[in-house]
CSV table of all heavy atoms in Angstrom, one decimal:
chain,number,residue,atom,x,y,z
A,146,ILE,N,0.2,-80.1,-96.7
A,146,ILE,CA,1.5,-80.6,-96.2
A,146,ILE,C,2.2,-81.2,-97.5
A,146,ILE,O,1.5,-82.1,-98.2
A,146,ILE,CB,1.3,-81.6,-95.1
A,146,ILE,CG1,0.7,-81.0,-93.9
A,146,ILE,CG2,2.7,-82.3,-94.8
A,146,ILE,CD1,0.3,-82.0,-92.8
A,147,PHE,N,3.4,-80.9,-97.7
A,147,PHE,CA,4.1,-81.4,-98.9
A,147,PHE,C,5.4,-82.0,-98.4
A,147,PHE,O,6.1,-81.5,-97.6
A,147,PHE,CB,4.5,-80.2,-99.8
A,147,PHE,CG,5.4,-80.6,-100.9
A,147,PHE,CD1,5.1,-81.5,-101.9
A,147,PHE,CD2,6.7,-80.1,-100.9
A,147,PHE,CE1,6.0,-81.8,-102.9
A,147,PHE,CE2,7.6,-80.5,-101.9
A,147,PHE,CZ,7.2,-81.3,-102.9
A,148,GLU,N,5.7,-83.2,-98.9
A,148,GLU,CA,6.9,-83.9,-98.6
A,148,GLU,C,7.5,-84.6,-99.8
A,148,GLU,O,6.7,-85.3,-100.5
A,148,GLU,CB,6.7,-84.9,-97.4
A,148,GLU,CG,8.0,-85.5,-96.9
A,148,GLU,CD,7.7,-86.4,-95.6
A,148,GLU,OE1,6.6,-86.3,-95.1
A,148,GLU,OE2,8.7,-87.0,-95.2
A,149,ASP,N,8.8,-84.5,-100.0
A,149,ASP,CA,9.5,-85.3,-100.9
A,149,ASP,C,10.8,-85.8,-100.3
A,149,ASP,O,11.1,-85.5,-99.2
A,149,ASP,CB,9.6,-84.6,-102.3
A,149,ASP,CG,10.6,-83.5,-102.3
A,149,ASP,OD1,11.4,-83.3,-101.4
A,149,ASP,OD2,10.6,-82.8,-103.3
A,150,PRO,N,11.7,-86.5,-101.0
A,150,PRO,CA,12.9,-87.0,-100.4
A,150,PRO,C,13.9,-85.9,-100.0
A,150,PRO,O,14.8,-86.1,-99.2
A,150,PRO,CB,13.6,-87.8,-101.5
A,150,PRO,CG,12.4,-88.3,-102.4
A,150,PRO,CD,11.5,-87.1,-102.3
A,151,THR,N,13.6,-84.6,-100.4
A,151,THR,CA,14.6,-83.6,-100.1
A,151,THR,C,14.0,-82.5,-99.1
A,151,THR,O,14.8,-81.7,-98.6
A,151,THR,CB,15.0,-82.8,-101.4
A,151,THR,OG1,13.9,-82.1,-101.9
A,151,THR,CG2,15.6,-83.8,-102.4
A,152,GLN,N,12.7,-82.5,-98.8
A,152,GLN,CA,12.1,-81.5,-98.0
A,152,GLN,C,10.8,-81.8,-97.5
A,152,GLN,O,10.1,-82.7,-98.0
A,152,GLN,CB,12.0,-80.2,-98.8
A,152,GLN,CG,11.1,-80.3,-100.0
A,152,GLN,CD,11.1,-79.1,-101.0
A,152,GLN,OE1,11.1,-78.0,-100.5
A,152,GLN,NE2,11.1,-79.4,-102.2
A,153,GLN,N,10.3,-81.1,-96.5
A,153,GLN,CA,9.0,-81.1,-96.0
A,153,GLN,C,8.5,-79.7,-95.8
A,153,GLN,O,9.2,-78.9,-95.1
A,153,GLN,CB,8.9,-81.9,-94.7
A,153,GLN,CG,7.4,-82.1,-94.2
A,153,GLN,CD,7.3,-83.0,-93.0
A,153,GLN,OE1,8.3,-83.5,-92.5
A,153,GLN,NE2,6.1,-83.1,-92.6
A,154,GLN,N,7.4,-79.4,-96.3
A,154,GLN,CA,6.8,-78.0,-96.2
A,154,GLN,C,5.4,-78.1,-95.7
A,154,GLN,O,4.7,-79.0,-96.0
A,154,GLN,CB,6.8,-77.3,-97.6
A,154,GLN,CG,8.1,-77.3,-98.3
A,154,GLN,CD,9.1,-76.3,-97.6
A,154,GLN,OE1,8.7,-75.4,-96.9
A,154,GLN,NE2,10.4,-76.6,-97.8
A,155,GLN,N,5.0,-77.0,-95.0
A,155,GLN,CA,3.6,-76.9,-94.5
A,155,GLN,C,3.0,-75.6,-94.9
A,155,GLN,O,3.7,-74.6,-94.8
A,155,GLN,CB,3.5,-77.1,-93.0
A,155,GLN,CG,3.9,-78.4,-92.5
A,155,GLN,CD,3.5,-78.7,-91.1
A,155,GLN,OE1,4.0,-78.0,-90.2
A,155,GLN,NE2,2.6,-79.6,-90.8
A,156,GLY,N,1.9,-75.6,-95.5
A,156,GLY,CA,1.2,-74.4,-96.0
A,156,GLY,C,1.4,-74.2,-97.4
A,156,GLY,O,2.4,-74.5,-98.0
A,157,LEU,N,0.4,-73.6,-98.0
A,157,LEU,CA,0.4,-73.4,-99.5
A,157,LEU,C,1.5,-72.4,-99.9
A,157,LEU,O,2.2,-72.6,-100.9
A,157,LEU,CB,-1.0,-72.9,-100.0
A,157,LEU,CG,-1.1,-72.7,-101.5
A,157,LEU,CD1,-0.8,-74.0,-102.2
A,157,LEU,CD2,-2.5,-72.3,-101.8
A,158,ASP,N,1.8,-71.4,-99.1
A,158,ASP,CA,2.8,-70.4,-99.5
A,158,ASP,C,4.2,-71.1,-99.5
A,158,ASP,O,5.0,-70.9,-100.4
A,158,ASP,CB,2.8,-69.2,-98.5
A,158,ASP,CG,1.6,-68.3,-98.8
A,158,ASP,OD1,1.1,-68.3,-99.9
A,158,ASP,OD2,1.3,-67.6,-97.8
A,159,ALA,N,4.4,-72.0,-98.5
A,159,ALA,CA,5.7,-72.8,-98.5
A,159,ALA,C,5.8,-73.7,-99.7
A,159,ALA,O,6.9,-73.9,-100.3
A,159,ALA,CB,5.8,-73.5,-97.2
A,160,TYR,N,4.7,-74.3,-100.1
A,160,TYR,CA,4.7,-75.2,-101.2
A,160,TYR,C,5.0,-74.4,-102.5
A,160,TYR,O,5.8,-74.9,-103.3
A,160,TYR,CB,3.3,-75.9,-101.3
A,160,TYR,CG,3.2,-76.8,-102.6
A,160,TYR,CD1,3.8,-78.0,-102.7
A,160,TYR,CD2,2.5,-76.3,-103.7
A,160,TYR,CE1,3.7,-78.8,-103.8
A,160,TYR,CE2,2.4,-77.1,-104.8
A,160,TYR,CZ,3.0,-78.3,-104.9
A,160,TYR,OH,2.9,-79.0,-106.0
A,161,LEU,N,4.3,-73.3,-102.6
A,161,LEU,CA,4.6,-72.4,-103.8
A,161,LEU,C,6.0,-72.0,-103.9
A,161,LEU,O,6.6,-72.0,-105.0
A,161,LEU,CB,3.6,-71.2,-103.8
A,161,LEU,CG,2.2,-71.5,-104.0
A,161,LEU,CD1,1.3,-70.3,-103.8
A,161,LEU,CD2,1.9,-72.1,-105.4
Side-chain angles (χ1 to χ4, degrees):
I146 296 170
F147 170 70
E148 186 173 352
D149 74 11
T151 66
Q152 63 187 317
Q153 183 174 1
Q154 304 291 336
Q155 290 192 299
L157 185 55
D158 289 336
Y160 175 77
L161 293 173

